[in-house]
């Protein structure tokens, strides 16, 4: 079962610091057959502890600030896109063609939120943009045939598999050989000293510059978290690939957003890279390599850089170069089968693979920065890498939680238990603010620790509205 102790060990953290974490257990939050609440708590807890640790080092504190995890705020953050309101309007989280469809021998799930993915799906099926036409085209075709045909056209469709069927897949075998959090030292260069911190709130990432080359959803969650902790986060997108406005509003807190053509604007990108401390990429593996953005190429041009990568299926195996999203990974890995019924596949109560992996990616960046500046093997660039499908395997390891009691909940793995309180909904963990894109209702940050920040320093602005400069 996912717990903070196992992931903290994978992050290279000192196990003694786990005693600084305590938990408010709220039965009923993120209900599922799989231990989603435990995974969410572990991911947020590891990130908060990594932030508190780095903050203590930079502030010259002997003790790491205490971290209190509350299942309520964690559950609300993990479903944050569902709670978002823009001028009172709820956004559409999935487009009409992003859903489950029956096939001749089972089910497929498609993802067509972005216009270019929708166009490729329709091209592969040779149908107009009409749900009835898509349904008719899929009804008599085998699921695996649909999966390959849509993938071949550059679209996104995945056949439903059981856990056993996924375990027999070559991609699952490739994932099984990898740790949950991959950590690689890229070079042995000296890195600049992190300036000391004083006062409150304690901002562990203050003064750090983060290049955000990510798209929905895990990568933006990670960089949004680094922005919360004080980093100057600059998100860069290709001018011809606009982000969905509501999606950008949800994950754009604390950041600036600019557009840059990586081919035509190469000199500007090199200027940004030269002054960056962290680069986070979330495109499918290999997609950015032609622009010289592989981890090794980035580290060669900017020694000492922390490079963080997240992908759907991993950077290896037969599916290493495939596009993917949380909903599709749930379907391929057997989660949708476990959470569904004999009549229809199901889904987790949140996009937990995206959110969980996002917090783990931020935690890995924070721990890499700590090791660079204060570790026994200080200095050197670092690569940290995660994959949604590997997080899915972690979620499915072991048995589901036996119940909602405090002992069964595993709170002891998180240090002292503050108490057990029923979950009564998200209302107390929602906030409102004015922003350049309208009046926003949003989920409060899940990552917090004593003397740390309680909210982002700035609301999101329009996509691409900022200049591509530090």
């Amino acid at each position: 079962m996912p717990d903070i102790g196992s992931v903290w060990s994978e992050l290279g953290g000192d196990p003694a610091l786990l005693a600084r974490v305590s938990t408010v257990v709220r039965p009923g939050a993120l209900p599922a057959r799989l231990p989603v609440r435990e995974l969410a708590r572990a991911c947020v807890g590891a990130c908060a502890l990594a932030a508190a640790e780095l903050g203590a080092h930079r502030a010259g504190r002997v003790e790491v600030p205490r971290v209190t995890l509350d299942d309520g705020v964690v559950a609300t953050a993990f479903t944050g896109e569902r709670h978002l309101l823009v001028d009172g309007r709820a956004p559409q989280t999935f487009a009409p063609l992003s859903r489950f469809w029956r096939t001749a021998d089972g089910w497929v799930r498609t993802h067509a939120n972005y216009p270019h993915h929708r166009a490729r799906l329709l091209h592969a099926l040779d149908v107009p943009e009409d749900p009835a036409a898509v349904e008719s085209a899929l009804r008599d075709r085998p699921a695996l045939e649909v999966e390959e045909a849509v993938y071949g056209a550059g679209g996104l469709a995945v056949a439903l598999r059981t856990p056993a069927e996924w375990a027999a897949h070559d991609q699952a075998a490739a994932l099984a050989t990898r740790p949950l959090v991959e950590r690689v030292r890229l070079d042995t260069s000296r890195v600049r000293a992190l300036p000391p911190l004083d006062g409150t709130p304690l901002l562990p990432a203050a003064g750090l510059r983060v290049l955000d080359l990510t798209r929905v959803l895990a990568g933006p969650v990670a960089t949004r978290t680094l922005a919360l902790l004080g980093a100057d986060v600059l998100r860069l997108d290709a001018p011809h690939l606009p982000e969905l406005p509501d999606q950008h509003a949800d994950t754009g807190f604390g950041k600036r957003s600019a557009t840059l053509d990586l081919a035509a604007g190469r000199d500007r990108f090199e200027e940004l890279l030269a002054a960056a401390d962290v680069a986070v990429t979330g495109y499918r593996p290999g997609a950015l390599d032609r622009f010289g953005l592989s981890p090794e190429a980035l580290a060669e041009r900017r020694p000492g850089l922390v490079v963080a990568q997240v992908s759907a299926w991993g950077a290896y195996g037969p599916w290493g170069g495939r596009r993917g999203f949380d909903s599709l990974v749930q379907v391929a890995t057997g989660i949708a089968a476990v959470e569904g019924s004999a009549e229809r596949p199901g889904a987790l109560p949140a996009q937990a693979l995206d959110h969980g992996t996002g917090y783990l990616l931020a935690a890995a960046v924070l721990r890499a920065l700590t090791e660079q500046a204060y570790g026994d093997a200080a200095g050197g660039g670092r690569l940290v890498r995660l994959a949604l499908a590997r997080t899915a395997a972690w979620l499915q390891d072991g048995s589901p939680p036996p119940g909602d009691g405090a002992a069964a909940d595993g709170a002891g793995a998180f240090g002292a238990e503050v108490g057990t309180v029923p979950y009564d909904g998200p209302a107390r963990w929602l906030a409102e603010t004015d922003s350049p894109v309208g009046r926003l209702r949003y989920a409060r940050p899940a990552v917090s620790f004593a003397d740390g920040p309680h909210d982002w320093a700035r609301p999101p602005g329009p996509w691409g509205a900022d200049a591509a400069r530090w």
Side-chain angles (χ1 to χ4, degrees):
M1 185 187 304
D3 68 88
I4 191 174
S6 61
V7 73
W8 187 244
S9 175
E10 290 218 23
L11 290 166
D14 178 359
L17 294 183
L18 293 170
R20 307 299 294 170
V21 184
S22 55
T23 308
V24 177
V25 178
R26 293 187 185 270
L30 298 175
R33 291 171 181 160
L34 292 167
V36 177
R37 180 156 42 101
E38 287 75 10
L39 176 137
R41 189 193 298 152
C43 295
V44 171
C47 187
L49 187 57
E53 177 193 30
L54 179 58
H57 277 295
R58 294 189 64 183
R61 297 188 181 186
V62 175
E63 277 197 329
V64 170
R66 289 194 171 276
V67 172
T68 300
L69 298 170
D70 190 311
D71 284 345
V73 69
V74 171
T76 303
F78 264 58
T79 52
E81 64 275 9
R82 302 178 191 175
H83 304 303
L84 179 71
L85 293 179
V86 182
D87 288 332
R89 174 186 57 82
Q92 182 184 61
T93 54
F94 285 100
L97 298 185
S98 298
R99 47 166 276 198
F100 283 108
W101 307 87
R102 279 196 179 276
T103 65
D105 58 354
W107 295 84
V108 296
R109 181 152 189 168
T110 55
H111 196 287
N113 286 4
Y114 287 107
H116 56 294
H117 291 155
R118 181 164 58 252
R120 293 167 186 171
L121 171 68
L122 296 172
H123 174 73
L125 301 178
D126 192 24
V127 296
E129 189 173 339
D130 175 23
V134 174
E135 185 174 30
S136 177
L138 294 177
R139 189 181 299 121
D140 298 325
R141 298 179 66 174
L144 291 177
E145 177 187 299
V146 172
E147 178 181 274
E148 289 304 313
V150 175
Y151 167 70
L156 291 144
V158 171
L160 177 72
R161 291 170 172 83
T162 65
E165 289 169 339
W166 176 247
H169 196 282
D170 288 344
Q171 188 62 28
L175 288 165
T177 67
R178 305 284 178 150
L180 175 64
V181 183
E182 295 183 59
R183 300 184 299 134
V184 178
R185 186 159 179 159
L186 291 173
D187 58 56
T188 58
S189 61
R190 295 183 62 182
V191 298
R192 71 183 183 94
L194 298 178
L197 300 176
D198 56 15
T200 55
L202 188 62
L203 297 173
L208 296 170
R209 289 171 169 168
V210 177
L211 276 178
D212 180 359
L213 304 173
T214 71
R215 289 173 79 81
V216 57
L217 180 62
V221 166
T223 52
R224 182 182 66 184
T225 302
L226 296 174
L228 169 74
L229 299 170
D232 180 5
V233 178
L234 178 63
R235 173 165 167 167
L236 293 179
D237 285 282
H240 66 284
L241 288 176
E243 183 59 280
L244 303 174
D246 293 337
Q247 203 159 260
H248 180 71
D250 178 47
T251 59
F253 281 87
K255 310 177 191 178
R256 293 180 295 122
S257 170
T259 59
L260 184 67
D261 185 316
L262 291 177
R266 186 55 180 265
D267 289 345
R268 174 55 59 88
F269 179 80
E270 293 303 319
E271 292 173 3
L272 294 170
L273 176 64
D277 301 287
V278 179
V280 186
T281 67
Y283 291 77
R284 61 188 174 87
L288 298 177
D289 289 7
R290 68 184 186 277
F291 299 109
L293 300 183
S294 69
E296 295 76 15
L298 289 169
E300 183 177 349
R301 303 200 306 280
R302 169 59 176 93
L305 186 71
V306 173
V307 182
Q309 284 190 324
V310 61
S311 63
W313 309 106
Y316 32 75
W319 282 21
R322 291 201 177 194
R323 300 172 180 87
F325 294 94
D326 181 305
S327 58
L328 302 183
V329 176
Q330 289 189 39
V331 173
T333 60
I335 290 173
V338 171
E339 295 292 337
S341 65
E343 291 74 32
R344 187 174 178 83
L348 298 176
Q351 294 189 69
L353 306 180
D354 261 334
H355 285 275
T357 305
Y359 287 114
L360 289 181
L361 193 68
V365 168
L366 295 166
R367 287 248 62 252
L369 292 166
T370 298
E371 290 178 346
Q372 275 189 335
Y374 308 105
D376 294 336
R382 302 292 203 279
L383 167 64
V384 295
R385 185 157 52 196
L386 287 101
L388 303 189
R390 183 62 186 84
T391 304
W394 186 45
L395 174 64
Q396 296 176 88
D397 285 345
S399 302
D404 273 329
D409 198 274
F414 297 82
E417 181 189 329
V418 175
T420 301
V421 185
Y423 179 62
D424 57 0
R428 72 179 71 181
W429 297 289
L430 299 175
E432 293 193 9
T433 187
D434 290 316
S435 81
V437 298
R439 181 74 177 173
L440 300 180
R441 187 189 74 175
Y442 63 99
R444 293 184 182 276
V447 171
S448 65
F449 54 91
D451 296 332
H454 297 293
D455 211 337
W456 289 275
R458 56 183 288 168
W463 177 83
D466 298 296
R469 63 170 180 259
W470 294 118

